[in-house]
Each structure stands twice: as C-alpha cells, then as structure tokens.
Amino acid sequence: MAIIGQDIEKAKEFLEAGQLVAIPTETVYGLAGNALDVGAVAKIFETKNRPSFDPLIVHTDSIEKIGAFVCEIPEALRKLGEKFWPGPLTILLEKKAIIPDLVTAGLSRVAVRVPRHSLTRSLLQELDFPLAAPSANPFGYISPTQASHVAKQLGDKIPYILDGGSCEVGLESTIVGMEDGKVTVYRLGGLDLNQITEVVGEVEIKSHSSSNPAAPGLLKSHYAPTKEFILGDLDELVPEMLQRGRPFGVLSLNKRFTLDGPAPQFQLSPSGDLVEAARNLFDYLRQLDQSGVEVIVAELMPENGLGRAINDRLRRAAAKG
Ligand code: TXA
Ligand code: MG
C-alpha cells in the first residue's frame, strides 16, 4: 500500500528511482513520473490503464524552464502563461526531441503546465526533470481531489502519495493552444474562459464532446460514475424517481427536496457560487457513486464562469460509451 505523507524528500527519491508518486495540484491530484524517462512514463499508462493514444501533461515549476522542452512560444500563449502560471492552465507547444514521443502519443505538440500547489512546487524545484502527470484516477473514472481518493483507487499500485489536502480548484486545467493563428481552447477547466479572453481577446472553442481518439482526452464518456447517471430537470426527475421506487441520490447546485427516506442529496454550493461548486463536484460525485443508490440524478449549472466547465464534466459523466 502507498505511504501517504508530506515528505518531499521521500517523493523525490521515488521519482528519481523511476517510480510513480501521486502529487497534489490546485486542480486535481496527478499521477507523476519522470517525463524524460520512457520507463516511468510507460508505468503511468499501465497504472492508470490508460490507452497510449491519450497524451500526458508535463509539469514544471517555471515558465523559464519550459524553454528546454519546447520550441518557440507564440506571443499570445506566452502572455497567458505569464499571467496565469502558476495556475490551472495547460498550454500546447511544439515539442523538442528531449520529450519522449510516448508522452505526447506521437503528436508534435506537448502539453505543459506550471501548477500552483505549494508542496508540488517545492518538489518540482528540487527535481532536475519535469513530471508527466495525468489525473490520478483509473482511466475514465472521476478525477481525485483528495489523497484518500487516490489511495482508494491506486493505493496498491504506487509507493507514495504526497498529501496536499483538498484541491482548491477541483476541476482539471483549461487547455489552450494555437490553431490557424487563433488561440484555441481544447478543454474547458479550472481557469475561467472570461479570464483568458480578457488577456487575448476572443478564442476558438474546440472542446466539444467527441468519441474520436484523435481529439485526445475529449472522449465523450469520461469522468463517469459507475452508477446510472441522469442529467436533467430535477423538479421532474425527482418525482419520477420516487414513483419508480429505485434508490437514488441527488446532485444539485443548491436545490433541496423534501423526501421521506434516506435519499442522499448533495448541494454543490448552497449559496450558488460556481467556484465552490467546482471544488465540490468530484468529491460529491464520488460519494454518491459509493453510496447505496442505483441512480444519480443531477442538473446542469448556469452556463457562466466555471459553470461551463462543470457542465462539460457533467455531460461526459452522463454520456454512454
Ligand atoms: O489539471 C490538470 O490538467 C491535471 C493535473 C494533474 O495537472 N491533469 C490532467 O491530466 O487532467 P489528464 O491526463 O487527466 O488530462 C490531460 C488532457 C487529456 O485529455 C489529454 O488528451 C490532453 O490533456 N493532452 C495532453 N497532451 C496533449 C497534446 N499534446 N495534444 C492534445 N491534447 C493533449
Ligand atoms: Mg484525466
């Protein structure tokens, strides 16, 4: 079983030995290995049961260090990096040969990010290599936002989990790159789109659901609970569930229903704050999934701020196949 602790030196030892360590970031926990060591990178795919066509994000502790891994950085993307790093932003850049093809699934661009969590920043500062890290969940399941989530699912496969508490943002990073001279968003995430457009103007959004592996990580069904998950109008769904008599749970922004009996209800943010809702999303989804219910009913958030990214995750959680 993995040791859970806050010992950066221990984490460093395992990583230097080519082993994997779960690391906290402000978005979600990552399953990290030496990005320059093909053996360590292969272990990441194997441990997560992740198909090798789905590339990994490379994490480092400063924008200066990125120069060693990528060719030039287009002006608009540099501006975004300077403004939002460290933070929940990932940038796709043309890679140098030092980044193994396994990391990028053979693509010419590598995804890079400077995360904000202080423990992981200290760890990255002490390492002389960057860390490849996908979210630390089995492929297709809900991303982990606490050390205990990682321990439960991958604890028997890795030696160490660096415990940085609950993730502050709770949604994966927003992914951007340049396409046809335009800043393009490939995944909505923890950095609000409005903040990006304030810096670079209008952007193209290409994060729509797809079942095409060539649009990596945008698989239509993802972040999926094992229970049946239905998205819709809770005022209709809840009475319907009561009538059907199947045990169900409710995930709402802040609605509460009067129900006799023990149906679990989770309000993502009682005050309707979408930042708080993002922070709670994956934890509440997990709790519902692990409760005794057969069905989870949920509603979409308002389509503004982080609501859009939350809705993206909810739709993928509800998608079949
Ligand atoms: O917040 C995050 O981004 C977290 C933390 C740990 O940093 N990481 C994360 O990694 O969410 P992962 O592997 O679960 O999701 C990364 C996404 C995948 O959908 C992958 O397909 C996409 O980034 N991606 C990575 N490299 C890419 C590339 N070179 N081109 C296009 N998409 C890429
Ligand atoms: Mg993931």
Side-chain angles (χ1 to χ4, degrees):
M1 258 328 255
I3 302 166
I4 304 181
Q6 301 188 316
D7 187 343
I8 289 172
E9 289 310 314
K10 259 250 133 24
K12 184 176 173 220
E13 272 172 37
F14 283 120
L15 290 164
E16 285 176 341
Q19 307 259 53
L20 306 186
V21 169
I23 56 167
T25 84
E26 75 282 20
T27 60
V28 301
Y29 275 73
L31 177 64
N34 179 349
L36 308 182
D37 171 355
V38 178
V41 175
K43 258 187 212 153
I44 296 176
F45 283 99
E46 191 185 303
T47 304
K48 262 197 75 130
N49 207 1
R50 179 178 175 116
S52 57
F53 61 70
D54 196 1
L56 306 176
I57 298 175
V58 170
H59 300 71
T60 183
D61 64 293
S62 75
I63 195 165
E64 289 75 34
K65 282 197 190 163
I66 284 169
F69 323 127
V70 304
C71 307
E72 39 112 41
I73 308 180
E75 190 48 35
L77 298 181
R78 175 179 293 280
K79 268 196 205 159
L80 290 174
E82 279 168 356
K83 174 92 183 174
F84 298 115
W85 279 341
L89 173 73
T90 292
I91 304 185
L92 299 183
L93 295 164
E94 291 299 319
K95 80 176 192 79
K96 285 186 176 163
I98 185 174
I99 298 290
D101 287 332
L102 188 57
V103 169
T104 62
L107 298 171
S108 67
R109 291 189 296 186
V110 59
V112 287
R113 171 160 120 79
V114 180
R116 189 166 69 204
H117 195 289
S118 59
L119 266 186
T120 290
R121 277 174 69 70
S122 308
L123 173 64
L124 286 165
Q125 271 155 21
E126 290 206 14
L127 293 171
D128 53 16
F129 49 82
L131 292 175
S135 51
N137 50 282
F139 184 70
Y141 195 64
I142 304 160
S143 299
T145 54
Q146 296 175 18
S148 63
H149 297 165
V150 183
K152 187 147 192 190
Q153 292 192 298
L154 299 179
D156 56 349
K157 295 186 172 153
I158 57 175
Y160 199 72
I161 299 171
L162 194 57
D163 187 353
S166 290
C167 299
E168 181 198 332
V169 176
L171 283 181
E172 302 84 351
S173 58
T174 302
I175 304 181
V176 302
M178 267 337 237
E179 209 171 298
D180 301 327
K182 276 195 204 137
V183 174
T184 304
V185 175
Y186 298 95
R187 176 173 74 183
L188 298 170
L191 179 63
D192 188 334
L193 217 51
N194 295 326
Q195 289 184 270
I196 295 180
T197 52
E198 267 172 33
V199 177
V200 294
E202 283 309 299
V203 298
E204 195 80 11
I205 299 177
K206 288 208 168 166
S207 83
H208 300 299
S209 294
S210 149
S211 50
N212 172 12
L218 297 177
L219 296 173
K220 194 156 175 260
S221 167
H222 214 71
Y223 312 102
T226 53
K227 301 288 166 67
E228 187 180 348
F229 185 81
I230 306 174
L231 204 50
D233 181 348
L234 289 175
D235 292 321
E236 288 172 12
L237 283 171
V238 168
E240 200 181 305
M241 289 297 131
L242 286 169
Q243 212 174 20
R244 279 212 257 158
R246 285 173 76 196
F248 70 100
V250 183
L251 184 70
S252 70
L253 176 56
N254 54 9
K255 273 193 188 127
R256 266 202 92 76
F257 294 85
T258 316
L259 305 168
D260 354 303
Q265 294 190 53
F266 285 86
Q267 296 169 281
L268 288 171
S269 169
S271 68
D273 172 6
L274 293 170
V275 172
E276 185 184 25
R279 192 180 302 138
N280 290 328
L281 177 68
F282 290 144
D283 181 40
Y284 290 180
L285 256 180
R286 260 172 201 268
Q287 290 194 48
L288 280 164
D289 202 31
Q290 284 158 20
S291 71
V293 304
E294 283 177 18
V295 190
I296 302 165
V297 292
E299 65 178 355
L300 289 171
M301 305 292 116
E303 277 280 323
N304 53 53
L306 291 187
R308 283 185 74 167
I310 298 174
N311 288 345
D312 170 86
R313 305 302 187 272
L314 290 171
R315 290 194 183 99
R316 288 181 214 274
K320 305 219 165 33

